[in-house]
Amino acid sequence: MFFPFMPAHALEVKDVRFGIHEDKTRIVLDMDQAADFQSFVLSDPYRLVVDLPRFTWSVKNFTANDEAGILAVRQGALKPGVSRIVFDLSRSMSIRSAFVLPAKGQKGDRLVIDIARIGVDEFKQFKGQIHGNLDINNPPNNAGQSYSNKSKSKANAAVKNDYKPLVVIDPGHGGVDPGAVGKEAGLLEKDVVLKLALSLRDALVKSGRYRVKMTRSTDVFISLRGRVKFARDAGADLFVSIHADSIGNKKVRGASVYTLSEKASDKQTAALAARENKADLIAGIDLSVEDQDVVNILVDLARRDTMNQSKFFAGKLATVLPKEGVRTLEHTHRYAGFAVLKAPDIPSVLVEAGFMSNKNEARMLNTETYRNKVVSGLKRGINAYFDQVQKNQRE
Ligand code: ZN
């Protein structure tokens, strides 16, 4: 639907009201214009999330309403063009229906969301179900376009089996940044990981189950933040960064998998992440400028769910890699503050396929036979991860 007389200003959320019914709570957001939205529920703790095109929040009084099951509300920018509202719920609730009511008579445009109490066991089946059709990866850029008539909801697409998850593969380093230099003559990390990434892409595409994008498919430099941004802009369902670094102890060998943590799981890992995070300095990029990307407190909410999914995926990889004949480091799944893993809303892992500092491992990574084993392991882990994700969506 197009509103030709709509002034081209940002959406305004004017008020939030609750209506308590016997079988549901009705949440009404009074807005100055109709707009596309998406809404879903999360657990641990229970929350209702409402995403809208970037809005100004003019809600004067908000009072928690225990009877309605609503403890608090927060809102703010989520990403360019998109704002998020989060309602903290006091119990497990699901969305019964959500729709926009265009202005009529005295009443202005409203977004109506009906939520109802459900059992904790029942909750699973509603998790991940999206109501509404706002495409947060492609938000409208002015008010006149903020409400469309798309009838098919994204939820249906996501739940249906024909949805192909988007995997973003991120071969580390590139261009002016060679990464580690192998003990094997002339072998560079940037080349090894690109080969691994390209074969992984081919294997995933061939399976017919995924869409795949690569942060780089040639020998170019990309900043760490640029890699994260690429994955977010693409709307990735999973982010896999591939490396083969060097570490101090030349005897250490074996593949390992890392997920994000402020605190590294051990000294060796901390050193690895510290060195990895310097990639941008190598190319002369001033991180202090780039770092000013808006990091909103709301992002923490998404991060908690993402973190759990990342850990789950890393665990799967740690289990399946050896089954494909890939030698792994003990405590294969480790934690560290790799900058490239910081997308708050995309499950992300960094895979060290092996260490270039170990002569034997560098030699093996230089062979197609061994790289194929690594690729099979990664593919198997990705399959296992999405098997679980899709199972959760069906349950
Ligand atoms: Zn690296």
Side-chain angles (χ1 to χ4, degrees):
M1 198 177 292
F2 183 66
F3 293 83
F5 304 112
M6 199 64 74
H9 61 75
L11 177 67
E12 182 187 0
V13 177
K14 301 197 283 194
D15 200 9
V16 179
R17 297 177 283 129
F18 304 118
I20 298 162
H21 302 261
E22 205 174 312
D23 58 338
K24 69 182 181 207
T25 291
R26 170 159 286 193
I27 302 171
V28 180
L29 300 178
D30 288 311
M31 308 190 295
D32 71 327
Q33 58 192 287
D36 280 344
F37 70 95
Q38 73 165 9
S39 187
F40 51 93
V41 287
L42 295 170
S43 57
D44 307 309
Y46 293 111
R47 285 152 289 162
L48 168 71
V49 176
V50 183
D51 291 335
L52 284 161
R54 177 61 61 89
F55 58 67
T56 52
W57 180 259
S58 326
V59 178
K60 295 277 183 310
N61 301 304
F62 178 90
T63 32
N65 191 316
D66 195 37
E67 206 186 336
I70 297 179
L71 299 173
V73 67
R74 278 159 289 160
Q75 55 77 33
L78 178 71
K79 57 193 288 186
V82 182
S83 294
R84 171 165 286 185
I85 307 170
V86 179
F87 293 96
D88 288 332
L89 306 176
S90 63
R91 46 191 177 248
S92 58
M93 298 178 94
S94 69
I95 299 171
R96 186 81 61 84
S97 57
F99 49 93
V100 171
L101 277 177
K104 199 180 172 189
Q106 298 281 70
K107 290 182 170 170
D109 295 297
R110 285 148 290 161
L111 171 59
V112 177
I113 301 172
D114 288 337
I115 55 175
R117 184 172 193 154
I118 48 161
V120 173
D121 292 344
E122 250 182 299
F123 186 85
K124 276 194 302 201
Q125 74 189 82
F126 294 101
K127 205 175 164 182
Q129 270 188 25
I130 298 168
H131 293 253
N133 55 19
L134 175 70
D135 180 358
I136 67 165
N137 296 310
N138 202 2
N141 50 20
N142 69 54
Q145 297 172 347
S146 65
Y147 187 48
S148 67
N149 216 356
K150 289 171 275 181
S151 56
K152 206 172 144 216
S153 87
K154 205 179 152 193
N156 295 336
V159 171
K160 268 208 305 207
N161 288 336
D162 60 3
Y163 177 75
K164 284 189 183 181
L166 175 65
V167 180
V168 167
I169 306 173
D170 174 49
H173 312 279
V176 293
D177 171 18
V181 178
K183 285 282 144 191
E184 184 91 347
L187 191 62
L188 300 176
E189 180 184 358
K190 67 171 183 178
D191 297 327
V192 171
V193 297
L194 182 58
K195 283 179 187 163
L196 281 167
L198 288 167
S199 344
L200 178 61
R201 176 191 66 185
D202 293 347
L204 293 178
V205 168
K206 202 174 156 204
S207 76
R209 188 173 171 186
Y210 307 102
R211 291 171 295 139
V212 181
K213 285 190 176 174
M214 297 179 63
T215 54
R216 70 177 182 99
S217 53
T218 56
D219 184 20
V220 291
F221 175 83
I222 305 165
S223 71
L224 297 172
R225 189 162 289 276
R227 295 167 194 264
V228 176
K229 188 176 184 302
F230 176 90
R232 298 195 73 210
D233 290 348
D237 293 297
L238 190 66
F239 179 83
V240 185
S241 190
I242 303 177
H243 288 256
D245 283 283
S246 282
I247 51 169
N249 186 345
K250 312 248 174 302
K251 286 184 188 153
V252 173
R253 60 183 293 187
S256 43
V257 185
Y258 300 81
T259 53
L260 185 67
S261 163
E262 293 310 317
K263 210 171 160 286
S265 47
D266 56 274
K267 265 191 189 158
Q268 188 176 295
T269 304
L272 196 62
R275 191 185 322 193
E276 200 55 54
N277 290 346
K278 284 192 183 127
D280 286 356
L281 292 179
I282 293 167
I285 290 177
D286 185 354
L287 268 177
S288 61
V289 177
E290 272 213 293
D291 244 350
Q292 284 170 5
D293 204 24
V294 186
V295 178
N296 197 285
I297 44 155
L298 289 167
V299 155
D300 285 342
L301 296 169
R303 185 164 284 153
R304 195 191 326 226
D305 294 313
T306 307
M307 204 87 94
N308 287 334
Q309 286 169 286
S310 304
K311 283 188 210 163
F312 174 77
F313 175 46
K316 283 286 175 207
L317 284 176
T319 315
V320 300
L321 280 166
K323 290 181 183 165
E324 296 291 335
V326 177
R327 183 170 177 146
T328 50
L329 200 60
E330 63 167 359
H331 309 300
T332 312
H333 175 195
R334 298 177 179 217
Y335 303 84
F338 287 102
V340 81
L341 299 179
K342 288 190 174 170
D345 47 359
I346 305 167
S348 305
V349 304
L350 185 145
V351 177
E352 290 285 355
F355 290 112
M356 297 283 258
S357 38
N358 182 280
K359 209 170 183 177
N360 283 326
E361 200 144 71
R363 194 173 290 154
M364 280 164 74
L365 286 166
N366 203 19
T367 68
E368 200 178 344
T369 319
Y370 189 70
R371 285 198 304 268
N372 284 342
K373 290 181 182 175
V374 175
V375 167
S376 302
L378 295 177
K379 184 183 153 197
R380 197 162 154 180
I382 291 168
N383 283 338
Y385 171 77
F386 282 107
D387 284 347
Q388 187 62 44
V389 169
Q390 283 161 354
K391 188 167 167 263
N392 289 348
Q393 284 172 347
R394 280 195 303 271
E395 271 171 3

